Amino acid sequence: MKTRLKSLILALSVIATTSVLAQKKEIKASESTINWTGKKVTGQHTGTLSISEGFLVFEGENITSGEFTVDMTSLKVTDLEAGKGKEKLEGHLSSDDFFGIKNHKTAKLVVTKAKKTDKGYKIAGDLTIKGKTNPIEFDLAVTGDAASTKLKVNRTKYDIKYGSGSFFDNLGDKAIDDEFELAVELKM
C-alpha cells in the first residue's frame, strides 16, 4: 500500500511540475502581421491579412503546441490603389473562385509538432482554409517575444483552383501560380 501511495504521489508531482513549466504565450494580434504574395505569369500581387487570435505553448525552450486564427475578412490588396483595380481584385479573392470569405470567415493553423533546430523550430501543423484541412511544415524563428516565418501554401489543396495551370489548359499569360507566399511576424 505504501509503495502504491508513493507512486501516486510521485506521478502527481511530475504532472504538477510539468504543468507549471508549460507557458502559454498569447499572440498580440494588433502588433502581428501577415503579408501575402500571389504570383502569376505576368507579375504578382501583394497584400495583408490580420490574425484574430493565437498562442504558442512552450515547455522550457521547446514549443509543444499552438493555434492561430486568421481573419479572412481582413484581406487587403496593397500593391494597387483605390479605383485602379484594388476593389475588383479584393472582391475576386473574397469570392468562391478563391477564398469564399462569405462562408469561410477564418483560416486556422494548429501546431501538431515542433522540433528545435539551430535556426529555431521546424513546425508541423494542420492548416485549414476554406473548410479544408491539410498538413503543412515550415521553419519558425523565435527571438524573445517575437516569432517569424516565411512559408508557401499550395492553394489547390484547399480547392482554390481558379487560373491554375495544373487544372486548366490554354491559360497562357492568365495562369496563376498554385502556391502563394506568406511572411508572418508574430508579437507575443
Side-chain angles (χ1 to χ4, degrees):
M1 180 72 169
K2 282 187 177 182
T3 305
R4 277 182 122 177
L5 185 57
K6 285 181 182 178
S7 296
L8 180 60
I9 291 171
L10 179 61
L12 289 174
S13 62
V14 168
I15 291 168
T17 303
T18 303
S19 298
V20 171
L21 295 177
Q23 181 183 13
K24 183 177 180 181
K25 290 190 175 186
E26 297 287 340
I27 301 304
K28 295 178 182 173
S30 64
E31 297 177 31
S32 299
T33 60
I34 301 174
N35 292 297
W36 58 263
T37 302
K39 296 181 180 180
K40 56 186 181 173
V41 173
T42 58
Q44 68 181 28
H45 289 292
T46 58
T48 60
L49 287 163
S50 297
I51 294 176
S52 299
E53 60 186 352
F55 64 87
L56 286 170
V57 176
F58 289 83
E59 284 188 19
E61 291 186 15
N62 296 314
I63 295 173
T64 58
S65 63
E67 194 171 296
F68 304 90
T69 302
V70 176
D71 176 6
M72 294 302 293
T73 67
S74 70
L75 185 139
K76 298 285 183 238
V77 172
T78 57
D79 66 305
L80 298 174
E81 294 179 28
K84 298 193 177 185
K86 175 181 173 65
E87 295 83 2
K88 182 178 177 181
L89 180 55
E90 287 174 349
H92 196 199
L93 291 173
S94 296
S95 77
D96 287 337
D97 282 346
F98 285 93
F99 296 103
I101 292 173
K102 181 179 179 185
N103 296 316
H104 305 284
K105 297 185 183 327
T106 62
K108 188 176 210 170
L109 172 69
V110 177
V111 175
T112 57
K113 185 177 178 184
K115 180 180 178 186
K116 188 129 175 71
T117 67
D118 50 340
K119 294 183 179 181
Y121 298 88
K122 179 61 117 181
I123 301 291
D126 291 326
L127 179 61
T128 303
I129 299 174
K130 206 174 177 182
K132 306 239 182 285
T133 302
N134 288 286
I136 191 164
E137 289 188 354
F138 56 92
D139 295 317
L140 181 71
V142 178
T143 309
D145 286 337
S148 63
T149 188
K150 289 185 179 181
L151 65 145
K152 292 184 178 187
V153 177
N154 184 333
R155 66 188 174 93
T156 63
K157 290 182 178 182
Y158 303 92
D159 202 26
I160 304 169
K161 298 175 183 170
Y162 182 89
S164 169
S166 299
F167 292 90
F168 301 100
D169 294 327
N170 303 319
L171 292 172
D173 66 357
K174 302 285 188 210
I176 302 169
D177 285 1
D178 288 347
E179 292 185 324
F180 61 90
E181 299 170 5
L182 299 174
V184 182
E185 298 286 335
L186 303 172
K187 301 293 182 192
M188 297 178 269

